[in-house]
Amino acid sequence: MLLLQAVLLLLVLPSPGEVTTTEETLPKEGCAGWMAGIPGHPGHNGTPGRDGRDGTPGEKGEKGDPGLVGPKGDAGETGVPGVEGPRGFPGIPGRKGEPGESSYVYRSAFSVGLETRVTVPNVPIRFTKIFYNQQNHYDGSTGKFHCNIPGLYYFSYHITVYLKDVKVSLYKKDKAVLFTYDQYQDKNLDQASGSVLLYLEKGDQVWLQVYGDGDHNGLYADNVNDSTFTGFLLYHDTN
Ligand SMILES: [Ca+2]
C-alpha cells in the first residue's frame, strides 16, 4: 500500500526538467468570471408512502335512543294456585221454586162420615158422607181405604154412640189393630174415638168394623150428629 501511494505521488509531482508555465497564463481566481447556471426543473413527485399506524380509540359516545318494541312473547307456564281466599258474604235468597211433581204424587187423604145408623156387623163400616176424598183412595162402596203410596199414615175416628154400646176396631190387612169400646148410657149420646199411626205398604187396606158380636153396633149419625173416619199420609216412604 505504501508502495502504491509512493508511485501516485511521483506521478503527481512535476519532474525537474519540465518548465511550469500555466501559473503565469491563468489567474489565480480562474472561476470568478463564470456565470451561475439556470435552476433545473422540479423533480417528479415521489410514490405515495405507506399507510400510517392506527390511531388511538376515541372516547365512548352518548347512549342512543330506545329501540322499537319487539313482538309479544309466548304465554308463560301456569303458575302455582294461590291461597284460598276468605269466605264471602251470604248471597241474596233465591226465588221460590215451582212446586215439584212429588207434591202431588205423594198426596193421600180422606175424611168421611156416616149417613145412617150401622146395623150390619162383621163387615167394614161404610162411611158414605164424603168430606174429602180427592185421590179416591177411600172406597165408599166397600168402606175400605186402599194404600197407593207406601209410608206412614194417621187414622182417626170419632163415633157418636146411641141406643147401644159401641165396640169397634180399626183393621189393617184383615187384622184388628186398634180397639175402642164405649158403653151406652140410657137417654144420653156418647162419643167414642181412637187414633193411630200405621206404616202401610202399597196395597194395604184399612177400615173400621164392629168388633165381636153384632150387639155392639150403636154407631149413630143424623143431621146434627156425625160419626167420622179420617186418614192421611203423614209422609211417604223414601226408600
Ligand atoms: Ca159411655
Side-chain angles (χ1 to χ4, degrees), residues 2 5 23 37 39 41-42 71 110 112 124 128 134 165-166 174 194 209 211 214 224 230:
L2 291 175
Q5 287 177 350
E23 287 183 8
H41 297 287
F110 72 94
V112 294
T128 55
Q134 186 72 41
D165 293 352
V166 166
D174 296 326
Q209 184 171 311
Y211 186 76
V224 292
T230 297

Side-chain angles (χ1 to χ4, degrees), residues 20-234:
T20 303
T21 60
T22 56
E23 287 183 8
E24 283 132 5
T25 60
L26 291 179
K28 290 243 182 190
E29 48 282 359
C31 293
W34 295 7
M35 293 183 63
I38 298 170
H41 297 287
H44 299 289
N45 291 332
T47 56
R50 291 181 298 180
D51 293 338
R53 294 179 182 175
D54 293 337
T56 56
E59 295 181 357
K60 185 176 182 180
E62 295 181 356
K63 185 173 184 179
D65 295 331
L68 299 176
V69 178
K72 186 174 182 180
D74 296 333
E77 296 180 358
T78 302
V80 179
V83 181
E84 185 177 0
R87 186 184 180 88
F89 294 107
I92 300 172
R95 293 182 300 173
K96 186 176 182 181
E98 298 293 330
E101 187 178 356
S102 61
S103 63
Y104 177 80
V105 172
Y106 298 118
R107 283 179 180 172
S108 183
F110 72 94
S111 188
V112 294
L114 280 181
E115 289 187 296
T116 59
R117 292 185 61 189
V118 172
T119 58
V120 181
N122 300 320
V123 294
I125 300 170
R126 291 178 56 229
F127 295 85
T128 55
K129 185 177 182 179
I130 307 299
F131 297 104
Y132 180 87
N133 192 24
Q134 186 72 41
Q135 297 82 34
N136 283 314
H137 293 170
Y138 172 80
D139 186 352
S141 64
T142 62
K144 291 183 176 180
F145 169 76
H146 296 259
C147 174
N148 285 256
I149 305 167
L152 189 66
Y153 286 80
Y154 176 80
F155 294 98
S156 68
Y157 48 87
H158 297 272
I159 305 298
T160 297
V161 181
Y162 185 54
L163 298 179
K164 285 186 178 180
D165 293 352
V166 166
K167 184 183 286 185
V168 295
S169 286
L170 185 79
Y171 279 74
K172 172 189 171 183
K173 294 170 64 176
D174 296 326
K175 181 180 180 182
V177 294
L178 188 64
F179 302 89
T180 298
Y181 179 44
D182 182 81
Q183 290 181 307
Y184 173 69
Q185 292 184 327
D186 193 18
K187 297 180 182 178
N188 279 309
L189 280 175
D190 275 2
Q191 281 78 36
S193 63
S195 63
V196 67
L197 286 173
L198 291 176
Y199 180 82
L200 301 182
E201 301 283 356
K202 186 173 183 178
D204 286 351
Q205 296 177 346
V206 175
W207 67 91
L208 271 181
Q209 184 171 311
V210 173
Y211 186 76
D213 58 45
D215 292 338
H216 299 127
N217 61 345
L219 291 86
Y220 180 78
D222 62 23
N223 291 340
V224 292
N225 295 280
D226 278 302
S227 291
T228 62
F229 179 36
T230 297
F232 56 82
L233 175 65
L234 187 61

